[in-house]
Amino acid sequence: MKFLVEPGGLLSGSIRVPGDKSMSHRTVMLGALAEGTTVATGFLEGQDALCTVQAFRDMGVTIRGPERGKIEIEGVGMHGLKAPANVLDMGNSGTSIRLLSGLLAAQTFDSTMTGDVSLQKRPMGRVTTPLAKMGAVIESDEGRPPLHIRGNKALQGIHYEMPVASAQVKSCVLLAGLYAEGRTSVTEPAPTRDHTERMLRGFGYDVHCENAVISVQGGGALKATSLDIPADISSAAFFLVAASIAEGSDLTLEHVGMNPTRSGVITILTLMGADIEVLNEREVGGEPVADLRVRSAPLTGIDIPEDLVPLAIDEFPVLFIAAACASGKTTLSGAEELRVKESDRIASMAEGLTTLGIENEVTPDGIVISGGVMSGGEVNTFHDHRIAMSFSVAALRATGTIQVNDCDHVATSFPGFAALAAGTGLRISEVG
Ligand code: S3P
């Protein structure tokens, strides 16, 4: 499936983008291990979250839905999972395979996880290394999936100094720590999304955080809860940029998760001159939420502060489109992690920007983008959902039609993207 996006247009109205992907995964994982039935609304019905749902069904957990965002998970308790009959297929989802590694390493049964072509290329040593220190036995294909996890290994609590700022690694180690003997702690080189910590507390599990050290004591229990999952700021980001770059736009995004470990995109766009108003700030189920009103504004290139990189890690593809529409140069550094996402996002974006006539210079850990006039053209997505959506919104400022190839993966994080975007004014259509 391709997107054809005609140039020009502006965005208006009020929309709610789908639920937070990180929180949706964790809802299933913690809900499955809790005592009692967890009910959540706002659940993301995207392929990635559905892979996590299927994995727990394969391990004997009864899950009703998701239907119109509502999901009910009948928890089986910390020791109630059953051996899956087959290989667990995590599709495109790095969060599923990495977080589940921590949980599966602590079970009494053996298990194997694999995924699609993209996932099979992604590094897993970052989770198997700390898990091995805890006593887990995991075989991989030279650090890539499939992962064969041996059961019946008693895990020991460790202290782990994380070499990369990764919420997936942090979460994996903490989840294994729930089963480990003693205390398990991690130190983050920079703050990363803290949904695991917040949600563990929401499920009644004590998590200690002090000076970048986060720890749990093994052997506790989780209690079922109810959750209202906010709209995913990473999905909202496409519209924040779209409305900023398309002159005359005035768009409101409702009920967006505003966790400070996720809102770097707003800080970066504001530094570039974007007009984003944060309205009705409130707290929902332990997470800050707000409505965001965004009006078009002239953007200026900036040097992106490196400390914002982990706080906007998934939003760089669309921020590169903002940079292409800004006056002057935007420089990103300290972002080598982008090279090991669903695609090498520095290389994928650089290729498409060059196709559209935007000057850019790739560096090992970032990119320098010179704002300019964008032409139409045919761009490759490398089967990466965020690359596809980023080049779709670029058409608002292009001089010709943009054809975005291979857009099937958009459904991993943002089912219904094209229809929702078209409803706000993007001239997008799906083709065969
Ligand atoms: C996620 C963490 C991030 C992010 C991913 C979701 C999570 O990955 O890119 O989309 O839910 O924990 P890293 O932890 O590898 O940076």
Side-chain angles (χ1 to χ4, degrees):
M1 190 258 290
K2 295 173 191 156
F3 291 155
L4 275 185
V5 200
E6 303 291 330
L10 57 84
L11 303 196
S12 63
S14 196
I15 55 167
R16 178 167 171 164
V17 300
D20 189 274
K21 181 153 75 72
S22 295
M23 292 182 67
S24 295
H25 284 300
R26 288 158 173 81
T27 297
V28 178
M29 295 177 192
L30 300 185
L33 299 174
E35 284 154 21
T37 301
T38 290
V39 182
T41 53
F43 188 85
L44 171 66
E45 291 173 55
Q47 295 302 329
D48 274 16
L50 295 176
C51 281
T52 297
V53 168
Q54 188 56 47
F56 280 92
R57 284 194 174 127
D58 291 350
M59 292 189 283
V61 180
T62 300
I63 301 175
R64 286 180 288 278
E67 212 184 314
R68 275 176 281 119
K70 186 171 177 202
I71 190 164
E72 285 181 21
I73 305 138
E74 281 186 24
V76 295
M78 294 300 287
H79 301 283
L81 295 179
K82 298 205 171 69
N86 295 305
V87 171
L88 298 169
D89 182 3
M90 309 321 319
N92 193 241
S93 179
T95 307
S96 307
I97 196 167
R98 294 208 180 103
L99 270 59
L100 268 171
S101 301
L103 292 178
L104 292 179
Q107 304 303 316
T108 50
F109 49 82
D110 294 352
S111 53
T112 298
M113 286 189 287
T114 191
D116 70 6
V117 178
S118 153
L119 194 66
Q120 285 184 35
K121 290 190 197 137
R122 297 184 67 188
M124 295 298 141
R126 55 181 57 198
V127 289
T128 57
T129 299
L131 290 174
K133 288 184 203 289
M134 296 177 82
V137 178
I138 303 177
E139 287 150 34
S140 68
D141 180 7
E142 294 179 4
R144 325 259 153 198
L147 298 180
H148 303 284
I149 302 178
R150 300 274 160 260
N152 264 329
K153 304 288 168 201
L155 302 186
Q156 296 296 318
I158 55 162
H159 174 70
Y160 189 59
E161 300 264 346
M162 287 165 40
V164 282
S166 163
Q168 292 178 351
V169 175
K170 169 176 67 175
S171 303
C172 166
V173 174
L174 291 175
L175 292 175
L178 303 180
Y179 290 90
E181 173 90 35
R183 254 195 126 66
T184 298
S185 56
V186 294
T187 305
E188 298 192 274
T192 65
R193 64 189 68 193
D194 63 358
H195 302 297
T196 299
E197 298 90 303
R198 286 176 188 247
M199 289 179 70
L200 277 171
R201 289 195 190 106
F203 279 85
Y205 209 103
D206 195 34
V207 181
H208 193 75
C209 299
E210 207 176 320
N211 304 327
V213 183
I214 304 144
S215 66
V216 292
Q217 177 74 31
L222 298 167
K223 284 179 215 69
T225 186
S226 57
L227 294 110
D228 171 5
I229 300 172
D232 197 327
I233 192 167
S234 298
S235 297
F238 300 104
F239 291 93
L240 294 176
V241 170
S244 295
I245 63 174
E247 211 186 323
S249 295
D250 184 350
L251 184 74
T252 300
L253 296 154
E254 297 160 8
H255 207 77
V256 180
M258 291 288 284
N259 182 313
T261 59
R262 297 288 302 282
S263 57
V265 62
I266 296 178
T267 316
I268 293 168
L269 284 172
T270 305
L271 288 171
M272 295 177 81
D275 178 0
I276 301 171
E277 236 184 303
V278 180
L279 304 167
N280 304 323
E281 285 180 86
R282 55 210 183 262
E283 196 171 295
V284 178
E287 291 276 350
V289 169
D291 301 326
L292 302 176
R293 181 175 181 190
V294 51
R295 280 170 279 195
S296 55
L299 301 181
T300 309
I302 58 164
D303 286 349
I304 299 174
E306 283 197 15
D307 59 339
L308 293 177
V309 170
L311 312 181
I313 193 67
D314 289 338
E315 288 66 76
F316 285 105
V318 78
L319 283 168
F320 293 177
I321 300 300
C325 298
S327 59
K329 279 189 179 173
T330 296
T331 305
L332 173 68
S333 56
E336 51 278 278
E337 272 296 295
L338 294 182
R339 294 200 177 272
V340 290
K341 294 294 178 187
E342 286 82 330
S343 70
D344 174 343
R345 287 185 171 159
I346 295 175
S348 311
M349 286 303 296
E351 184 188 292
L353 288 171
T354 303
T355 301
L356 302 180
I358 296 295
E359 224 178 280
N360 64 85
E361 191 193 320
V362 166
T363 60
D365 65 342
I367 191 167
V368 183
I369 297 170
S370 302
V373 176
M374 252 187 307
S375 65
E378 183 180 334
V379 292
N380 296 320
T381 61
F382 302 90
H383 303 279
D384 183 331
H385 54 134
R386 299 200 200 279
I387 305 296
M389 292 184 274
S390 299
F391 283 116
S392 302
V393 305
L396 289 157
R397 281 280 287 272
T399 55
T401 301
I402 298 184
Q403 175 178 318
V404 188
N405 291 333
D406 298 321
C407 292
D408 291 304
H409 280 70
V410 166
T412 60
S413 69
F414 201 148
F417 166 75
L420 192 66
T424 65
L426 192 71
R427 297 169 178 169
I428 184 168
S429 49
E430 290 182 1
V431 187

